Each structure stands twice: as C-alpha cells, then as structure tokens.
Amino acid sequence: MALRVSVGQYYSADSPIHELDPRTKVALTLVYMVSCFFVANPAMLALSGAFVFAAIAASRVPVRLLLRSVRTIMFFLVFTSVFNLFFVQTGQVLLEVGPATFTYDGVWAAALYTLRFLFLLLMGALLMCTTTPIALTDAAEDLLAPLARLGVPVHDAALIMSIALRFVPTLSREAENIVAAQTARGADLENKGPLAYARACVPLVVPLFASALRHAENLGRAMDARCYVGGARRTRFHVMSFVPARDGVAVAGVFLYLAGLAALGTLL
Amino acid sequence: MPRRPSAARIAEQGASGERRATRLVEHGAAASTTDSSDGHRAQAAPVAVFDNVSVTYPDGTEALRGVTATVEAGSYVCVIGGNGSGKSTFAQLFNALIVPTGGSARIFGIDTADENRLLDIRSRAAMVFQHPDDQMVTSIVADDIAFGPENLALPQPEIARRVEESLRAVGLSDLAQADPADLSGGQKQRVAIAGAFALRPDLLILDEPAAMLDVRGRRGIRRVCRELNELGITIVHVTHFMDDVLEADRVLVLNQGRLVLDGAPAEVFSHEHEVRELNLDLPLPLQLCEELEKRGLTVPHLADDDQLAAALAAAAPRARTSPAPDPRSHKAAAVDRSLRAPLDAQAAIEFENVSFSYAAPAAKHRRGLLARLRPRRAPQSPSPSGPWALRNVSFSLKPGTLTALIGHTGAGKSTVIELACALKMPTNGSVRVGGILTTDLERRRELRRAIGYVSQSPERQLFAETVYDDVAFGPRNLHLGEAEVEQRVREALATVRLDLAAIGGRSPFSLSGGQQRGVALAGVLALRPQILVLDEPMAGLDPAGRKRTVELLDRLRSQGTTILLVTHSMDDAAALADSVLVLDHGALALEGTPEEIFSQEEELHRIGLGAPGPTLLADKIRAAGLGLAGMPLTLSALADGVASVLAPRKEGGARGAAR
C-alpha cells in the first residue's frame, strides 16, 4: 500500500486543470520546470511561486497532498541548501558562530536553490495528481511521436509504462505477502551487517523475482489472446483534443508568466 | 435447471444474431455456411475441429496425445480433468496460442498452423485466464476493456460503444473508472470476461476462471457465461467444479493428454467408476446416490438435484412423505456466547476487543516495508484517520480444535490472520497466541515457534535451490542442529506425502503445482507449530489435491494441532470445523458450531454467504415431499437421514454419521 500512495497518486476532482488536454499539461509543465532554472532574483522567485500556487488553487488538489508526495526529495533539498549555507562565503557576513560563517550570499543561495526546486517539484506533483497514468502515457506517446519515425519504439515504451504502473500495486502486495510468510517461518530481516542483510533478503527476492517472471509470461499470453501485435496500427479509446477555449487559455497563461519572468530578469 | 433460451428470448436476440451472421461473411471464413433464416444456430459449421492432435513441449512433455473432437457453434462445452491432464494446453488450441505438434486444429475452418491468419482466429476466439491480475494492462477498468478493440484498430466511437456494452453484459457499469487493484477476485474476472467480450467473439474460452474465487464469484461467472451463450457465443469452459459442468451441453474429460470421455453431463457422469478413477468428483446428487447404495438402498442415479429429490420422494413409503417440520425453526436464533471461555489463559489464540485500521497512524507510512513488522509500542490511538478493517473482535480458540473463518472479500479475514501471526499489531485491544501478547517483543521468538502460517498460494514463497533447503529454512532459523533439521525435513515432507529421497535434491521450481504446494506446506510444518493458520489452502487445487489437503488437516488436528482455517467453501467449513467464525465488514457477525452457524439461514443470507451443498440438497429433497429430519451438514449425514426415511430398518447398519 505504501508504494501505491507514491505512484498512483491521481486525485480525482472536477477542475479546469483536470480537464486540460494531457498533452498541453505535460508540455506546459515541462516549460514551467525549465523556467524555474532561470529564476535568479527574489522578485522572479515570488512570481514563480505565485504561479505554481495559483495552478494548485485552480486544480482543487489539497496542498497537503502535494507536499506529502515531494516529502522524500525535500529531505535531499534541505541537505544541499545547508551545504550552500556553509560553503558560499561571499557577500556580507550575517553571523559568525565559532568556525562557521553565514553570509548574505550563502543564505540567499540556500533559499533560492531550495525554493525554486520545490516549485518545480510541486508542479510535477500537480501534473501527476491531476492526470491519470493512462492519460500521461498517452500524452507522452503523442508528444514523442516524431521519434517513432526515427525508429524509437515510442508506442511500446508507452504501453510498457502503463503496464508497469498497473503492476505496482500487485507486486507490492505480493512483496508484503512474501515478507509475512517468510517472517512467520522465522526469517530474521533485521540483521545489522550488510552481508547478513543481503543473505536474509534471498528468501524475499527470489520469490518476488519468480513471481514477476510468472506475471510477465501470463500477461504476454493474455495480450496475444487479445490480439495485440507489437508495432501494428492501433486506435485509441481516449481521444485527446486541443480545445482553444480551454487549452489555449492555459498556454496563454504560461506565456504571460514567462514574459513576466523575462521582464523581471532583465529589469533587476 | 432450464438454461435453454426460450423462443421469446431467441426472438429478442434476433438482431444480434443477424449482426453475427454478417460478421461471419465479412471474415470470409471458408466454412461459414450460417443459415440465419433458419434461426437455429446448431446449423452453423463447427467452431473447432481437432484431428488427432498431439502437443509435445520443447522439454519433451507430452501434453496432448491424439485428441480428436469437434465443437459445434453455439454449444456450451466444459473441459475437466485432474492437474496435468492437458486441459490448459487443450484450451489454448482454440485460439492458436498453442499450435499442434502433430495432427491438425481448424478453428472457424482456419488451420491454426497458418501464421498469417492468427488474428482472424484470435479476434473471434477470445480467452479468459485463471489469474485475473495477469490479464490486465491498465489501471482503469474501462481502458482495460478497450485494449482488445484498440488492437483491432476499430474507430473510437465503436470502441466506446463496445466498452459500455461489455461492462453492462457483466454487470459492472458502475465500476468503469475503478482501479482493478481495488476489485474483488470475482469482479476482476468479470472485467477480464468483459475485455474478451469486447472483441465480439464467436467463441469464448475460459481456463479455470473461478479457481481462486468464492462461491458467489463463481456463481457470477457461471451466470455471465450462460448469458453470453444465450447470445449465441460458443463457450469452452475449463473447470474443476462439477456444478459448473452441469451447466454445459457437453463435457470433455481429459486424462494424461488423452480425451477419455465425451458426452452430455448426465451421460459422462453415468460412467461413475471411470470418473472416480480419474480423481474427479461426481456432482453432489450422484455422490448421494453412491452413499445411499452403500447403505443398501437402490436409487436411480440422477445428476440433477431436482430430479433426484423428486425420485427420492416418490420412493418413500406413503406415511413418510408428510412434510417434517423445518429443523431450523427449533434452533435458538441467538448464538450461545457463554460457550466462549472468558479470558482463557490456555486459549491457543485469543482476540480481546481487537480493532485494526490500516490507515492508523500517519507515522507508519514513513517507515519501510520491513520496519513495519516491528511492533509499535506507541500509545494506541482511539480513532484512526481511515476506516476500520476490524472492529471490536473478540474470540478465543480452544487448543486442538479446528476453527473455520468465513466471510467475503474485504470482510477482514486476512487482517485477523496478520494479527494472529504477529505480522501486524492491533490498533486497539490485544491478541494473545498461546498466552503470549503479540506486542511482547521479548517473547516474539517463542511466539513464532508456536504458530505456523500458510499463506494463500504458499508455493509462491519457495526460493531455495533445493527442496531440502527450502523446507529446512524454518528449522535453521530456529538454530537447530543439522541432524535435527534433517529429521524435521524428512518428517514434514512425509506428512504431506512427499519423499525426501525422491525430491529432496530437486529444485522446487521444477515440481508440479501440487507438489510445490506440498513442499511449501512442509516448510511450515517443519517448524512443528502447535497452532497452524492457513489461508485458503484448497484454492486452485483439483479434487484430488483438495482431498489430500482435507486429510492432512484432519491428521494434524488429531495430533493436537490447533488450526485456524480461512476458507470460502461452506462445504469445507461444515465438514471440517469444530467451530466457525463469520466475519462481516470487519465485525464478528456469528460464532458457534457449524450446526449453530448454518441454522441461521437468514443472517447468512444477509451477509451473502450460502449453506453447504448437502444442506441445500436436503432442502430440495424436503421441498419435494420427503420428510427429512434434522439439518445435515455433510454428505454422510444427509445419506443417513435419507436412508432412515426410505428404509428405517436399515438405519442400524448405516455407517455412523460424521456429525
């Protein structure tokens, strides 16, 4: 169940963000994410923060939920920001504690790196929360379609992605069952040394691996039975359509934001 | 059990019949001489013609040998046979997943060896497999059903229409947007059938679709199959269950790759000795006939329960046919809870006001998979953020008894097991195993020695290079000497009727399914637990395997092992258990002896659970007018009851009833 929370995080709600064409959403999210790296001063930081929180507000996804999904990565971010705090030694000195010196530049760098990365992650999480995994893979497949002409198996990759998402809950439940069964047989999974730990994991990893192979074999057969032929022409159940009144507005919004960001960047 | 469509019904479906006829022409199948004006689908060309088919796998296994058979369009065929009889291989011949290595298979007149025409066959011969989880490609029900039509490159509006129709056909329209992972096994399997139906097949092949399902799930599958058959779809249903077989027009019985019996169900089951020798069960009415014969009675052998009931009533002496009072009305409605020993220190497993929620403390999610097994000593939270998986459950198991735990998917059976085996800690209340609190870390090792846990499909935990090492895993974890370990391995394998010398050095993965399950069971028995918890140990086994497991449980109980058996078979619960616990939506709804439980018909019905087969058959016999006393829970009790009415003098000679 724990794994499920972090992968299948679609949050069902009725909002303009949910309704966007997934391709628009994926493309605009990527544009926003890239724009975050150009944020260089406090005004830009404020604008970029305002934009992501406006998007979250429009999506009706609880902020708490989004923060929870970026929690793990935030740990690393805080770590690197502390790194900045200690190693950026230019600018006005704010505080000296023993050997450590905190400068204005250090504090700014720590805040900038952490916040702009947080915004980027939040936007990514928002995409995941407002788009079903199927819509995401469909969108990725469509956006990457030009690559298919170069011989990249875009469609197969998208299908593999969809199947992988589908099997996350199945495999995680099986993993829990195997852990339970082997624990009941006295497997000690709380050894300290890495070697002992690796050995203790054999009774878990081998059955899980066998189970993954069994699923793969059965699934392959079932897909054959359902007339799947790799590389053949297929149609799609979900039709994606770019609606100007809906997707056009979103695109315009993002371009306005980019223009504002550029203006603040050159003015200040 | 009339399952033939009435004339009106056929007229109703005339439209779809016409569409199908045009479809046949579209496909240009060589032998499509459908005469739709006649309206009789039996006139159509055979769906499948097998001529002396043999299949030998690359590893040399001969799965099928010289099978010759023809399946007519519109028929409903059941395929039965023990494990390893070649049923699964046979089923896959129908949609060219397997191509004969000898002889020929023609489906819709197309030779399956012609690789260019595979899609012509598969788009018309859809298949549903045993494991629902392994047939779904996406995380949304409707999208999964669309997979087949998408592969056929149908236009989008047609796909949408078919998805909707298919969902309706299996009665799952409400769950179109659900995640398959959240559905019960029976629902998942119906999604798989809908996915197959979306191809608009002429033939639907089902390979043990209900092997892992409870009675309700199985009944759902059977109903859907019958409805699809009435639409004109030919059904080929591979099954272990004889009640499925009685639905069919025709039964094919396979044994060791050969087709040994072929005919209408009644005809096939009239070869009782052959069927027995093939390790297959007879339908319950025929089993009753056999039991009555053992008691010196001559009765007509009828596979249909209604017919048999009528025949038995007709054979009864006049005075005996007056309807006897229904025994159930005399039963006390309330379960006598005083039978439960309060706070019995000697109880094998004791739950005291146990509640559990998976969502409980938020802190739990932050921990890893392994860390979650550590007991929490944190103060118990009175109200979790999520729904309760168990609410205020109290019971205790007497040592040396067998308790059956029954209830629906999601009723909390698995949670009870996890709590009893100290794999999860109660949110509220306490669980004791052999007097030890499951939260007591210091005595955890002692607790683990006392209780053994056989998970569902236990063969999936096999991991070692040899059978010996796998069974020895538990004893070695107890740090026993190697001589003791070997002794235990030998003994545990012997208990499950396997021979250490014969298979000890083999890889567990090279064994047959039944043997793998035996090895997995031995791996738990080698710990010599005083308490054994088993989760659906009979699921997916053929009749012979089920019989072996029942014998094993009986033997273990007679040796003094306390057993907690989770099962979805009311027959097993009635025949095996000393006491029964019924869970409903996380609460303990009923507890008592099988007689007490199964006399509460209305309550069971409300929960959605049925009665054991013999009890239901007894009801039919009583309804037919035979004054049957008591409420027989087992076949032998039923036979005794019937025998005492039909030939009262012979009662003394009858074998003692099990209960």
Side-chain angles (χ1 to χ4, degrees):
Chain A
M1 286 303 171
L3 271 170
R4 189 137 182 240
V5 172
S6 58
V7 177
Q9 47 183 219
Y10 180 68
Y11 179 86
S12 176
D14 189 16
S15 85
I17 307 283
H18 282 78
E19 294 202 339
L20 286 177
D21 182 334
R23 291 170 301 186
T24 315
K25 243 188 293 188
V26 169
L28 292 182
T29 302
L30 288 175
V31 168
Y32 176 84
M33 285 174 144
V34 172
S35 83
C36 284
F37 289 105
F38 293 96
V39 169
N41 60 46
M44 290 169 87
L45 195 62
L47 178 65
S48 136
F51 187 80
V52 71
F53 281 103
I56 292 172
S59 74
R60 301 198 184 122
V61 176
V63 181
R64 194 171 36 84
L65 193 79
L66 291 168
L67 286 175
R68 200 193 303 155
S69 66
V70 300
R71 198 174 47 199
T72 331
I73 309 180
M74 278 311 290
F75 172 79
F76 293 100
L77 278 183
V78 170
F79 183 77
T80 47
S81 70
V82 169
F83 202 74
N84 272 310
L85 216 51
F86 281 101
F87 286 84
V88 179
Q89 296 292 330
T90 56
Q92 191 193 340
V93 175
L94 295 176
L95 185 66
E96 270 182 276
V97 186
T101 314
F102 298 102
T103 65
Y104 174 80
D105 286 1
V107 172
W108 165 239
L112 178 70
Y113 286 118
T114 316
L115 284 176
R116 72 184 190 188
F117 213 77
L118 172 67
F119 296 157
L120 179 154
L121 287 174
L122 280 178
M123 195 57 110
L126 185 65
L127 174 72
M128 301 295 283
C129 280
T130 57
T131 322
T132 61
I134 311 298
L136 273 180
T137 49
D138 278 0
E141 186 186 341
D142 236 49
L143 292 170
L144 296 176
L147 288 180
R149 273 185 226 141
L150 303 174
V152 181
V154 174
H155 169 71
D156 295 317
L159 184 69
I160 288 167
M161 194 61 210
S162 157
I163 290 171
L165 286 172
R166 150 79 189 76
F167 273 90
V168 166
T170 305
L171 287 175
S172 74
R173 200 171 45 232
E174 266 168 29
E176 281 189 31
N177 287 346
I178 292 167
V179 169
Q182 307 295 33
T183 307
R185 286 169 80 188
D188 190 1
L189 303 170
E190 289 161 74
N191 278 309
K192 275 116 209 153
L195 195 70
Y197 186 76
R199 201 177 304 135
C201 275
V202 170
L204 307 183
V205 175
V206 173
L208 198 57
F209 200 70
S211 150
L213 286 178
R214 192 177 54 241
H215 284 307
E217 202 184 314
N218 289 344
L219 183 71
R221 205 161 11 148
M223 286 170 64
D224 272 345
R226 294 175 75 181
C227 305
Y228 180 78
V229 180
R233 192 180 82 87
R234 298 176 82 231
T235 49
R236 219 183 256 152
F237 176 34
H238 293 291
V239 176
M240 291 180 283
S241 55
F242 185 91
V243 181
R246 185 185 68 193
D247 302 295
V249 170
V251 173
V254 170
F255 273 96
L256 261 171
Y257 155 76
L258 288 179
L261 208 61
L264 289 174
T266 44
L267 287 177
L268 300 172
Chain B
M1 250 186 279
R3 48 155 298 276
R4 289 255 149 258
S6 64
R9 188 86 192 240
I10 287 176
E12 231 174 73
Q13 280 139 12
S16 68
E18 259 168 48
R19 200 183 70 234
R20 304 176 54 75
T22 45
R23 217 197 119 105
L24 283 171
V25 177
E26 251 170 48
H27 273 86
S32 70
T33 53
T34 323
D35 188 357
S36 62
S37 64
D38 186 86
H40 231 285
R41 48 177 206 239
Q43 302 286 315
V47 160
V49 180
F50 301 111
D51 183 21
N52 199 20
V53 170
S54 298
V55 174
T56 307
Y57 286 115
D59 66 359
T61 322
E62 275 189 294
L64 290 177
R65 310 175 214 197
V67 172
T68 298
T70 301
V71 173
E72 300 299 335
S75 55
Y76 189 142
V77 181
C78 267
V79 181
I80 57 174
N83 284 344
S85 61
K87 304 188 296 290
S88 225
T89 305
F90 183 65
Q92 291 176 60
L93 290 175
F94 280 90
N95 64 349
L97 282 177
I98 289 177
V99 175
T101 46
S104 79
R106 299 180 78 82
I107 311 295
F108 308 118
I110 305 166
D111 192 332
T112 57
D114 184 351
E115 283 188 25
N116 296 321
R117 305 206 51 196
L118 285 185
L119 271 189
D120 289 337
I121 295 175
R122 287 184 193 158
S123 62
R124 298 172 61 194
M127 183 153 181
V128 173
F129 297 84
Q130 182 178 352
H131 298 287
D133 273 330
D134 294 351
Q135 327 177 34
M136 296 188 188
V137 290
T138 73
S139 325
I140 295 174
V141 166
D143 295 13
D144 186 75
I145 293 169
F147 183 69
E150 287 178 337
N151 291 334
L152 297 181
L154 296 170
Q156 194 273 340
E158 173 67 13
I159 298 179
R161 202 171 59 81
R162 287 192 178 189
V163 168
E164 205 195 307
E165 275 180 22
S166 304
L167 277 167
R168 195 144 19 98
V170 299
L172 287 178
S173 298
D174 296 344
L175 294 173
Q177 297 304 315
D179 183 336
D182 296 331
L183 304 183
S184 74
Q187 287 171 328
K188 280 189 220 176
Q189 207 54 294
R190 269 146 71 197
V191 171
I193 294 179
F197 181 58
L199 293 168
R200 290 293 175 278
D202 297 308
L203 167 65
L204 180 62
I205 309 136
L206 302 104
D207 188 3
E208 293 191 46
M212 314 301 277
L213 305 185
D214 60 9
V215 180
R216 186 155 75 168
R218 219 161 75 210
R219 218 182 296 137
I221 302 286
R222 210 151 56 210
R223 183 176 49 76
V224 168
C225 285
R226 188 165 55 226
E227 284 170 8
L228 295 182
N229 183 238
E230 283 169 8
L231 290 174
I233 299 176
T234 310
I235 304 280
V236 174
H237 184 175
V238 179
T239 182
H240 279 323
F241 297 101
M242 297 307 135
D243 39 359
D244 290 341
V245 175
L246 293 176
E247 292 288 325
D249 304 331
R250 182 174 167 200
V251 192
L252 302 177
V253 185
L254 290 172
N255 184 41
Q256 296 180 353
R258 288 184 199 285
L259 183 61
V260 288
L261 289 170
D262 176 0
E267 196 183 322
V268 165
F269 288 125
S270 67
H271 299 85
E272 277 161 43
H273 292 294
E274 281 98 324
V275 173
R276 283 269 182 224
E277 265 170 30
L278 297 172
N279 265 332
L280 296 170
D281 271 342
L282 286 170
L284 188 62
L286 285 176
Q287 288 185 34
L288 176 60
C289 296
E290 278 197 342
E291 287 291 318
L292 290 174
E293 265 176 8
K294 280 187 202 155
R295 287 162 176 73
L297 292 165
T298 322
V299 288
H301 281 220
L302 295 166
D304 186 273
D305 41 8
D306 289 315
Q307 285 174 19
L308 180 66
L312 289 177
R318 277 284 145 252
R320 294 276 171 171
T321 49
S322 60
D326 190 325
R328 268 162 260 204
S329 55
H330 291 299
K331 285 272 174 186
V335 172
D336 187 3
R337 289 191 172 253
S338 66
L339 283 177
R340 199 173 72 218
L343 296 180
D344 187 354
Q346 296 305 305
I349 298 179
E350 182 176 30
F351 275 50
E352 204 189 334
N353 299 321
V354 173
S355 297
F356 182 80
S357 170
Y358 284 94
K364 224 172 112 185
H365 285 295
R366 215 169 292 150
R367 304 214 202 152
L369 196 61
L370 302 183
R372 246 184 294 155
L373 293 165
R374 288 180 205 136
R376 285 182 301 108
R377 291 275 196 166
Q380 303 187 330
S381 67
S383 59
S385 51
W388 292 108
L390 279 187
R391 277 170 299 149
N392 236 346
V393 169
S394 299
F395 64 85
S396 72
L397 307 190
K398 283 209 192 78
T401 59
L402 192 153
T403 305
L405 181 61
I406 57 181
H408 274 300
T409 311
K413 291 177 295 185
S414 313
T415 312
V416 167
I417 290 185
E418 286 171 327
L419 289 167
C421 297
L423 299 166
K424 296 242 160 44
M425 298 305 128
T427 313
N428 287 324
S430 65
V431 178
R432 285 170 201 271
V433 174
I436 307 169
L437 272 175
T438 54
T439 44
D440 188 347
L441 251 191
E442 271 125 54
R443 299 181 70 187
R444 177 58 61 81
R445 191 172 283 273
E446 202 182 325
L447 184 148
R448 290 249 181 275
R449 279 173 187 244
I451 191 163
Y453 167 50
V454 179
S455 64
Q456 204 166 4
S457 305
E459 58 276 12
R460 294 195 186 163
Q461 18 158 318
L462 298 176
F463 68 95
E465 281 172 45
T466 65
V467 168
Y468 181 92
D469 285 337
D470 212 297
V471 179
F473 178 66
R476 281 178 183 155
N477 284 331
L478 296 178
H479 306 292
L480 300 171
E482 201 52 41
E484 169 76 6
V485 169
E486 192 186 330
Q487 170 62 24
R488 285 191 174 207
V489 171
R490 183 182 310 281
E491 195 184 281
L493 283 171
T495 312
V496 296
R497 305 277 187 253
L498 291 171
D499 181 21
L500 175 61
I503 64 162
R506 283 176 64 185
S507 161
F509 297 102
S510 71
L511 303 177
S512 75
Q515 286 174 321
Q516 283 188 2
R517 184 162 297 192
V519 171
L521 274 167
V524 176
L525 294 176
L527 293 161
R528 288 194 193 147
Q530 301 124 2
I531 308 165
L532 190 59
V533 178
L534 303 105
D535 192 354
E536 303 284 8
M538 267 79 108
L541 291 180
D542 65 357
R546 282 206 293 273
K547 207 174 294 165
R548 269 201 306 277
T549 312
V550 168
E551 282 165 13
L552 173 67
L553 292 179
D554 248 348
R555 206 156 56 233
L556 289 170
R557 170 172 49 183
S558 67
Q559 288 163 9
T561 309
T562 311
I563 298 174
L564 178 62
L565 172 72
V566 172
T567 180
H568 52 228
S569 159
M570 299 300 134
D571 292 26
D572 291 341
L576 280 170
D578 300 304
S579 66
V580 179
L581 302 171
V582 183
L583 281 175
D584 182 36
H585 292 100
L588 190 61
L590 296 170
E591 75 173 307
T593 63
E595 287 84 356
E596 286 168 344
I597 297 296
F598 290 112
S599 65
Q600 309 218 28
E601 216 176 356
E602 270 173 36
E603 182 67 2
L604 284 177
H605 187 75
R606 186 188 61 74
I607 298 169
L609 298 170
T615 313
L616 293 174
L617 185 54
D619 282 346
K620 293 214 165 173
I621 294 172
R622 199 175 292 125
L626 190 79
L628 201 58
M631 187 185 56
L633 291 176
T634 61
L635 181 64
S636 66
L638 173 61
D640 286 342
V642 173
S644 69
V645 179
L646 292 184
R649 299 247 173 89
K650 304 215 166 150
E651 198 172 0
R655 293 187 323 166
R659 179 167 283 119

